[in-house]
Amino acid sequence: MDFANLSAQLNAGAILPEGIVIITLLVTLVWDLIVGRSSTKVTPYVAIVGLLIATGTLFLQWDTTEPISFLGSFNGDAISLIFRGIIAISAAVTIPISIRYVEQSGTSLAEFITILLTATVGGMFLSGADELVMIFVSLETLSISSYLLTGYMKRDPRSNEAALKYLLIGAASSAIFLYGISLLYGLSGGETRLSAITASIISNGLDESLGLVIALVFVIAGIAFKIAAVPFHQWTPDVYEGSPTPVVAFLSVGSKAAGFALAVRLLVSAFPLVSDQWRFVLTALAILSMVLGNVVALAQTSMKRLLAYSSIAQAGFLMIGLIVGTDAGYSSMVFYLMIYLFMNLGGFACVILFTLRTGTDEINEYSGLYQKDPLLTLALSICLLSLGGIPPLAGFFGKIYLFWAGWQAGAYGLVLIGLITSVISIYYYIRVVKTMVVKEPQEMSEAVANYPEIQWNLTGMRPLQVSIVVALVFTSLAGVLANPLFNLATGSVSKTPMLQATEPMTPVVSQAPEQLPMPTVESVDL
Amino acid sequence: MNLAEGVQIVSLGVLAFLMLATSLGVVLLDNIVYSAFLLGGVFISISGLYILLNAGFVAAAQILIYVGAVNVLILFGIMLVNKRQDFTPVRNAWLGKAATAIVCFGLFALLSTMVLATAWPISSGPIAGDAALVEIGKHFFSDYLLPFELASVLLLMALIGAIVLARREFLPEEMVDSTDEVLTLPERRRELTSTPRQ
Amino acid sequence: MELQYFLLLAAALFCIGIYGLVTSRNAIRVLMSIELLLNAVTLNLMAFSNYLDPMVIRGQVFTVFVITIAAAESAVGLAIVLSIYRNRDTVDMEQFNLLKW
């Protein structure tokens, strides 16, 4: 294969968005090297612009006819475009909320942004990776940069500790994931492309082997770690509490979206032979995540830990869409992720702002905030209520669509548990809102009583304000004006060959356990 | 590699024994320095196994990277970190260890059943052998080009990140007073109850 | 010589690694256990590559990637261990309880 021939076959245009992010990353790094510490006035904005351009190019590729590139390493189909967009936007929102935070903690901003952009690149490649080696390398790019971000505040023992725990648990889980992948490579007799694996497993006559089930279990352990599903959630509260809050914001949205993208692609295209088993395992994980996440969140006193458990529970809700496996299921999952992006990042932006002004993140300290800072109270309340699923807000419509898709597909038990646990979740979200709004002036906490004068003209405060307002507007309006997002979500599913082709292969319910109703093929007609 | 069948079997046995013994040493010995050296033994015996598997290049890479870089790095880490301290014993630690050992035995039983029960689709085709190096090079620049390039981004990042984390901050004299609190998270610190710092 | 010998060896190494991962109290030993796990995986891949895929040898390429990334990961891991040691003066996992589990 000569060079001209090869470069024609690569179809390198499909990774243009990632290329743009990598160029942005290098520009940030080199600019910081040349200019020195004063580069912080420019670099964050360069990074945001780069990420937005990358998102724009993702839109241009919406109607692409040749998604496969790099000889099968990468598949830029519609569902990957959506996930890559979610990850890029979550990074683009994380950067403005981190400027002030990083400045105030006295660490260097340029390296922070570079590492964050690498994590973004890793996540974006992971969403489209169509081949085992590519999956592994991009997963590790995402994970290693996340460990670094977690430990970025290196003088703070809590940040160190969070990074160490995250690294050890993360590296172990990726090693276990990799063991599963190696079994997959063996069972398929030496295939690494996801699309070829199933066919060769069948032709080798290993479609009902114990090996495939073990590979599946190991792979699910790796994925569940990434999306923080119970019982692989142990790291989440610690890492969320210990690491810098902007990093948590990115981990809870970007990294989680990448995990879901990986789950969809790997489970649907490499494990259709054991789809009953993986749906069963995921159902168990989803129920555990919803119940445990929401119940433990009730007892939390720290806002970051509360959001950590809430994100575990949200992962449980999202898994409903993946489990039912219908078109509506997938698109409701994508739709909910898009809404979750803004409401969760908005919530974290508010927590960061409060932390910067008062230096605490205990829930009690929020009492009486309404009298001192109405904008912050409003934004945080809207985001939390939306996470809880209160009607006119975006989160409500996302949840309704998810539950509706689950109900249509016959997953009644799952949907009922989802409904009950979301009612529980409303309690702890409302509790925070009540603390902020209802208290009398004399009940005001010390932190709020000493609340500093609101100044937006400090370095990095303006971007924080802008992102809070954007998240606020989006969260309150996205539910009512959901149509474009909705079309995007359904379009991404219906345009993806992988999700369409495997639909008829999904075996019918009969073997599934009784108490866990599984989707039937008839329910697809939406 | 054209070794007689008997030689291969014997060397497999020796290498397997070495690998298992050294890896057990890594996890069981009390002295971490011994463990680190035994880890080098694990890497070397695995590279021997790679030679038995007709993969000379990867065997060389294994020695160069694992023994030459990772193991040395770990030893450096131990030297930098190791102060002679005995960990305060935890009560009933053996119980946890025994439970873990049982679980690991169970896992091993499961995995070995799987290995033995599966009819692996063994290929009878020709073996790349010494042409493997050329083949690997071709893979890197054709179907594994994208992961290859992404790995470069990853390595760049690991380099930068490791420097950022491990570097000691040298701050100008006049700034020193204010740094103590500046470099922590803006959130208020919890009480450091667990470890009394001297 | 059979494929199964190598796979059994890899499985044994994997289980030893898991044991070390769970029981070790020294953070650096945990890192070493992770290296054992990764080596078990590469041994698996190399065995499959030799017996199932001898001509295309994708497994060997995969192994080279795993080795690369393991090196990066251990470098990052040791950087984190160093920074925590500077702040806390210990590498005992039982002492890292500022954050409750």
Side-chain angles (χ1 to χ4, degrees):
Chain A
M1 206 186 295
D2 59 286
F3 180 74
N5 200 353
L6 177 66
S7 59
Q9 284 182 20
L10 283 182
N11 186 17
I15 62 155
L16 184 64
E18 284 81 2
I20 292 172
V21 180
I22 292 177
I23 290 170
T24 316
L25 179 169
L26 292 176
V27 167
T28 313
L29 199 59
V30 173
W31 182 255
D32 180 60
L33 268 179
I34 296 172
V35 181
R37 210 141 169 93
S38 61
S39 71
T40 46
K41 291 198 182 67
V42 186
T43 39
Y45 306 104
V46 173
I48 295 168
V49 170
L51 285 165
L52 291 180
I53 296 175
T55 317
T57 45
L58 284 170
F59 269 108
L60 295 182
Q61 293 185 350
W62 185 245
D63 286 316
T64 181
T65 47
E66 272 187 59
I68 308 280
S69 65
F70 284 87
L71 306 172
S73 294
F74 192 79
N75 188 347
D77 51 13
I79 191 107
S80 87
L81 288 176
I82 281 279
F83 277 114
R84 285 146 80 194
I86 291 174
I87 295 164
I89 292 176
S90 74
V93 180
T94 307
I95 290 173
I97 63 182
S98 57
I99 298 173
R100 181 70 206 164
Y101 193 96
V102 175
E103 287 276 299
Q104 197 155 328
S105 63
T107 39
S108 143
L109 185 62
E111 277 92 342
F112 181 86
I113 291 175
T114 323
I115 302 176
L116 184 69
L117 287 179
T118 319
T120 316
V121 170
M124 287 170 82
F125 272 124
L126 185 60
S127 315
D130 204 21
E131 201 256 311
L132 299 179
V133 178
M134 187 59 204
I135 287 178
F136 172 63
V137 175
S138 48
L139 180 69
E140 286 296 309
T141 310
L142 174 62
S143 314
I144 292 183
S145 348
S146 315
Y147 310 148
L148 290 170
L149 286 174
T150 309
Y152 198 74
M153 305 293 154
K154 59 179 174 178
R155 289 293 190 83
D156 190 321
R158 284 172 309 162
S159 176
N160 295 153
E161 211 178 299
L164 187 68
K165 281 180 181 167
Y166 195 25
L167 173 101
L168 295 178
I169 301 177
S173 89
S174 62
I176 291 170
F177 177 77
L178 200 56
Y179 194 86
I181 294 277
S182 78
L183 289 180
L184 211 53
Y185 170 73
L187 290 167
S188 65
E191 276 297 339
T192 56
R193 288 189 56 183
L194 293 185
S195 46
I197 283 176
T198 305
S200 29
I201 290 180
I202 293 175
S203 72
N204 291 333
L206 290 169
D207 45 330
E208 283 180 15
S209 61
L210 177 61
L212 194 57
V213 178
I214 291 185
L216 174 72
V217 171
F218 281 20
V219 163
I220 286 185
I223 292 174
F225 166 79
K226 208 75 243 149
I227 61 181
V230 179
F232 302 93
H233 70 291
Q234 302 288 352
W235 58 278
T236 322
D238 279 357
V239 170
Y240 280 24
E241 191 186 353
S243 41
T245 320
V247 175
V248 182
F250 178 75
L251 288 183
S252 70
V253 178
S255 174
K256 197 164 277 206
F260 271 101
L262 171 68
V264 171
R265 192 172 298 275
L266 198 54
L267 294 178
V268 169
S269 57
F271 290 102
L273 297 171
V274 281
S275 69
D276 279 347
Q277 283 89 335
W278 69 252
R279 278 170 218 277
F280 175 67
V281 175
L282 285 192
T283 310
L285 293 185
I287 291 174
L288 283 174
S289 305
M290 288 188 287
V291 172
L292 201 119
N294 281 321
V295 171
V296 179
L298 292 175
Q300 298 307 316
T301 54
S302 151
M303 196 65 197
K304 275 162 97 177
R305 281 184 96 85
L306 177 92
L307 286 173
Y309 280 104
S310 123
S311 88
I312 292 172
Q314 305 284 347
F317 293 134
L318 281 164
M319 277 156 80
I320 295 178
L322 179 57
I323 291 162
V324 298
T326 56
D327 274 9
Y330 292 124
S331 57
S332 65
M333 183 180 86
V334 171
F335 181 67
Y336 194 69
L337 256 179
M338 288 192 280
I339 288 169
Y340 175 70
L341 163 79
F342 282 96
M343 58 194 187
N344 212 36
L345 285 179
F348 274 111
C350 297
V351 173
I352 289 173
L353 183 58
F354 185 75
T355 298
L356 288 174
R357 288 193 175 145
T358 61
T360 176
D361 58 353
E362 295 295 309
I363 293 176
N364 293 337
E365 302 283 351
Y366 280 78
S367 33
L369 184 62
Y370 177 67
Q371 329 221 335
K372 294 279 184 162
D373 194 343
L375 171 70
L376 179 58
T377 312
L378 176 71
L380 188 54
S381 309
I382 295 280
C383 290
L384 289 178
L385 293 177
S386 176
L387 279 169
I390 302 284
L393 301 170
F396 170 73
F397 293 96
K399 261 187 194 155
I400 282 292
Y401 187 28
L402 259 178
F403 291 154
W404 175 78
W407 194 265
Q408 284 274 308
Y412 304 114
L414 210 50
V415 172
L416 278 179
I417 291 175
L419 280 172
I420 295 168
T421 50
S422 15
V423 172
I424 297 176
S425 78
I426 291 173
Y427 172 75
Y428 60 80
Y429 292 121
I430 294 260
R431 190 173 57 125
V432 179
V433 176
K434 190 178 137 232
T435 315
M436 288 191 295
V437 179
V438 184
K439 298 270 174 166
E440 297 294 314
Q442 62 272 19
E443 286 177 290
M444 204 180 275
S445 72
E446 206 179 322
V448 172
N450 301 326
Y451 203 72
E453 202 184 329
I454 298 168
Q455 284 181 313
W456 291 109
N457 48 13
L458 290 168
T459 335
M461 278 311 222
R462 199 57 76 179
L464 183 56
Q465 185 190 27
V466 170
S467 38
I468 287 181
V469 171
V470 167
L472 176 64
V473 170
F474 196 92
T475 312
S476 28
L477 294 185
V480 188
L481 308 170
N483 238 6
L485 284 183
F486 188 75
N487 292 339
L488 215 56
T490 35
S492 74
V493 175
S494 62
K495 276 160 159 305
T496 305
M498 170 183 82
L499 300 176
Q500 298 305 314
T502 47
E503 213 64 63
M505 279 174 73
T506 312
V508 193
V509 233
S510 52
Q511 300 104 323
E514 275 179 79
Q515 72 276 27
L516 305 165
M518 288 293 150
T520 53
V521 177
E522 303 90 81
S523 60
V524 185
D525 53 344
L526 299 167
Chain B
M1 191 75 27
N2 297 316
L3 289 175
E5 188 76 1
V7 179
Q8 288 197 26
I9 292 286
V10 170
S11 36
L12 173 66
V14 171
L15 288 170
F17 172 75
L18 264 181
M19 191 196 82
L20 292 178
T22 45
S23 57
L24 280 173
V26 171
V27 297
L28 294 179
L29 285 185
D30 275 338
N31 191 329
I32 184 100
V33 182
Y34 294 166
S35 294
F37 278 108
L38 286 178
L39 188 67
V42 179
F43 294 150
I44 291 172
S45 30
I46 285 181
S47 122
L49 290 173
Y50 289 171
I51 292 176
L52 286 180
L53 288 168
N54 303 306
F57 170 70
V58 184
Q62 166 92 5
I63 297 254
L64 283 175
I65 297 174
Y66 267 121
V67 183
V70 174
N71 205 16
V72 172
L73 198 64
I74 286 178
L75 272 171
F76 257 110
I78 292 172
M79 298 303 168
L80 287 174
V81 163
N82 205 25
K83 98 182 149 165
R84 280 232 151 268
Q85 56 165 1
D86 293 319
F87 295 148
T88 44
V90 178
R91 261 184 297 142
N92 291 333
W94 66 271
L95 207 67
K97 286 190 180 172
T100 317
I102 292 169
V103 170
C104 289
F105 267 112
L107 182 64
F108 178 66
L110 179 69
L111 289 180
S112 39
T113 321
M114 182 268 296
V115 165
L116 297 174
T118 309
W120 300 102
I122 299 212
S123 148
S124 52
I127 289 178
D130 289 341
L133 185 51
V134 179
E135 203 57 39
I136 292 174
K138 279 185 190 159
H139 276 305
F140 277 153
F141 286 97
S142 59
D143 49 349
Y144 293 103
L145 180 61
L146 189 60
F148 187 72
E149 298 297 337
L150 184 57
S152 62
V153 179
L154 168 66
L155 289 177
L156 173 71
M157 187 45 46
L159 180 77
I160 294 172
I163 292 173
V164 169
L165 286 191
R167 170 182 69 180
R168 230 181 249 282
E169 303 272 338
F170 285 109
L171 293 153
E173 284 297 318
E174 67 270 21
M175 281 176 69
V176 168
D177 322 326
S178 59
T179 49
D180 211 26
E181 280 309 308
V182 172
L183 286 168
T184 52
L185 298 177
E187 286 94 336
R188 204 172 293 156
R189 210 185 264 220
R190 275 228 223 114
E191 289 304 308
L192 295 170
T193 45
S194 51
T195 46
R197 283 151 57 100
Q198 49 273 47
Chain C
M1 293 261 271
E2 296 226 12
L3 170 65
Q4 278 83 350
Y5 297 159
F6 290 96
L7 296 185
L8 286 178
L9 270 182
L13 190 57
F14 190 78
C15 296
I16 293 173
I18 297 267
Y19 176 82
L21 190 72
V22 178
T23 56
S24 299
R25 287 182 59 188
N26 190 322
I28 294 185
R29 201 194 297 269
V30 181
L31 281 178
M32 291 197 235
S33 307
I34 289 170
E35 297 301 328
L36 290 184
L37 288 181
L38 288 174
N39 269 280
V41 173
T42 52
L43 189 55
N44 238 350
L45 286 171
M46 295 295 283
F48 284 136
S49 169
N50 187 44
Y51 288 96
L52 314 180
D53 186 20
M55 206 52 223
V56 194
I57 54 166
R58 294 198 184 90
Q60 292 197 20
V61 183
F62 205 153
T63 304
V64 174
F65 278 110
V66 175
I67 292 178
T68 315
I69 285 166
E73 203 164 62
S74 64
V76 170
L78 284 170
I80 291 175
V81 170
L82 274 188
S83 64
I84 198 168
Y85 179 73
R86 249 182 230 149
N87 284 325
R88 303 287 305 277
D89 219 20
T90 178
V91 287
D92 183 1
M93 297 296 288
E94 302 282 339
Q95 301 276 317
F96 297 150
N97 48 7
L98 275 186
L99 307 166
K100 56 181 182 273
W101 279 102

